[in-house]
């Protein structure tokens, strides 16, 4: 990314390597697989601090204008850093979205998480449930929790859907297979209780209907997680195991959202300088059931390209660079006299 930008636009780059990656990787860490979930939060906090220090240093050295970008996790980390910068600045996050929670709970990388170990820790240490979970402030569209609340409050939940034009065929409520599954699951007791990524780079230079639609579409995109849960929901004897899975996953999602959800951070000073580049078939960064960046950052632009996460990273970097140039042009048009 840096070398073509020098040739194409005369734009210099300062490359910031993620903590826990490359030369900053702990000796006992296997490749890019973080040993602990908490390492992800330490990484984010470190990059916010380091980015601010570098931006201040670049200003003192006379570099201008300044901007930030990154790909995949790097794009999300760049977004977090810009929320803490008190001046207008171009931001171009590529192949990232509003929160890391969906990446590790419903995306492809959910299969890389050691859920058994996390479940053991969650069950062994009551502080997670008794103290930490009460501190979490949810800020996204949680389809998993929506489903829990919907079932918990049934049959009253169905009364709120009386005005919707839903047919039996649409939801397939009366197929023999569905009837058998519903009858089987209703007899089980279910208590009601509530990675890898690219290195980041700092580059310089009708309410109910909507809620139901979100819930259904989110469920259809969460196949890995649903497979995991369904496998433990076949017999009544596994009810306790299923409950632990559900609780630990909800806790994981809540902690991830608390620490990484963009809505928990300040809105950048000028969102019109933000151009987000997303892949339409990105299975690593699910967008279904998650608040959009346009909602959180009104005025920003989202550009969609064809392909998935890996193919976009390998073959679409020219589009990433074009978004960077366009964001800088906007900045110069608005603030060149500053």
């Amino acid at each position: 990314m840096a070398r073509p930008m020098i040739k194409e636009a005369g734009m210099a780059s300062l490359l910031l390597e993620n903590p826990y990656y490359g030369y900053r990787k702990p000796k006992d860490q296997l490749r890019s697989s973080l040993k602990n979930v908490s390492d992800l939060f330490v990484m984010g906090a470190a990059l916010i601090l380091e980015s601010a220090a570098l931006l201040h240093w670049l200003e003192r050295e006379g570099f201008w204008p300044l901007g930030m970008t990154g790909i995949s996790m790097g794009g999300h980390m760049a977004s977090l850093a810009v929320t803490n910068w008190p001046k207008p600045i171009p931001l171009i996050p590529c192949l990232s979205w509003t929160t890391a929670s969906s990446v590790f709970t419903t995306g492809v990388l959910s299969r890389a998480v050691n859920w058994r170990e996390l479940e053991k820790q969650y069950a062994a240490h009551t502080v997670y449930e008794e103290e930490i979970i009460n501190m979490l402030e949810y800020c996204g569209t949680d389809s998993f929790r929506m489903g829990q609340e919907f079932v918990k409050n049934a049959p009253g939940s169905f009364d709120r859907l009386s005005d919707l034009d839903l047919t039996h065929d649409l939801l397939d409520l009366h197929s023999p297979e569905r009837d058998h599954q519903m009858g089987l699951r209703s007899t089980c007791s279910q208590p009601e209780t509530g990675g890898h990524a690219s290195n980041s780079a700092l580059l310089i230079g009708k309410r109910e209907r909507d809620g139901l639609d979100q819930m259904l579409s989110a469920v259809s995109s969460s196949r890995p997680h649903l497979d995991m849960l369904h496998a433990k929901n076949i017999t009544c004897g596994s009810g306790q195991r299923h409950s632990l899975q559900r609780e630990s996953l909800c806790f994981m999602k809540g902690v991830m959202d608390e620490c990484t959800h963009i809505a928990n951070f300040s809105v950048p000073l000028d969102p019109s300088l933000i151009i987000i580049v997303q892949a339409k078939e990105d299975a690593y960064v699910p967008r279904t059931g998650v608040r959009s960046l346009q909602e959180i950052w009104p005025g920003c632009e989202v550009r969609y390209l064809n392909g998935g996460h890996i193919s976009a990273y390998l073959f679409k970097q020219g589009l990433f660079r074009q978004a960077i140039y366009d964001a800088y042009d906007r900045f110069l048009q608005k603030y060149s006299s500053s």
Side-chain angles (χ1 to χ4, degrees), residues 99-113 115 218 221-226 249 253 282-288 290:
T99 177
S101 67
S102 57
V103 174
F104 294 103
T105 58
T106 63
V108 171
L109 288 182
S110 63
R111 294 182 179 272
V113 177
W115 289 106
S221 69
S222 306
R223 197 66 251 171
H225 165 55
L226 291 179
L249 186 130
K253 181 168 174 49
D282 195 332
Y284 281 78
V285 187
R287 297 185 301 275
T288 305
V290 179

Side-chain angles (χ1 to χ4, degrees), residues 78-110:
S79 299
L80 296 181
V82 166
T83 64
N84 285 267
W85 185 245
K87 300 177 182 179
I89 183 173
L91 169 65
I92 307 90
C94 304
L95 308 181
S96 66
W97 203 232
T98 53
T99 177
S101 67
S102 57
V103 174
F104 294 103
T105 58
T106 63
V108 171
L109 288 182
S110 63

Side-chain angles (χ1 to χ4, degrees), residues 1-2 5-6 9-16 50-59 61-70 85 89-90 92 201-205 324-325 328:
M1 286 284 285
M5 290 171 65
I6 295 175
M11 185 177 292
S13 303
L14 189 155
L15 309 179
L16 174 59
E50 293 170 354
S51 298
L54 289 170
L55 288 172
H56 281 295
W57 175 76
L58 288 162
E59 275 193 330
E61 295 298 310
F63 290 94
W64 186 91
L66 306 177
M68 294 196 68
T69 189
W85 185 245
I89 183 173
I92 307 90
L202 174 68
L203 298 182
I204 311 307
I324 293 171
Y325 304 151
Y328 270 78

Side-chain angles (χ1 to χ4, degrees), residues 34-42 113 118 121 252 255-256:
L34 302 181
K35 293 188 64 178
N36 308 296
V37 174
S38 57
D39 292 344
L40 185 68
F41 310 141
V42 175
V113 177
L118 291 177
Q121 293 180 2
M252 173 79 154
V255 172
M256 283 274 185

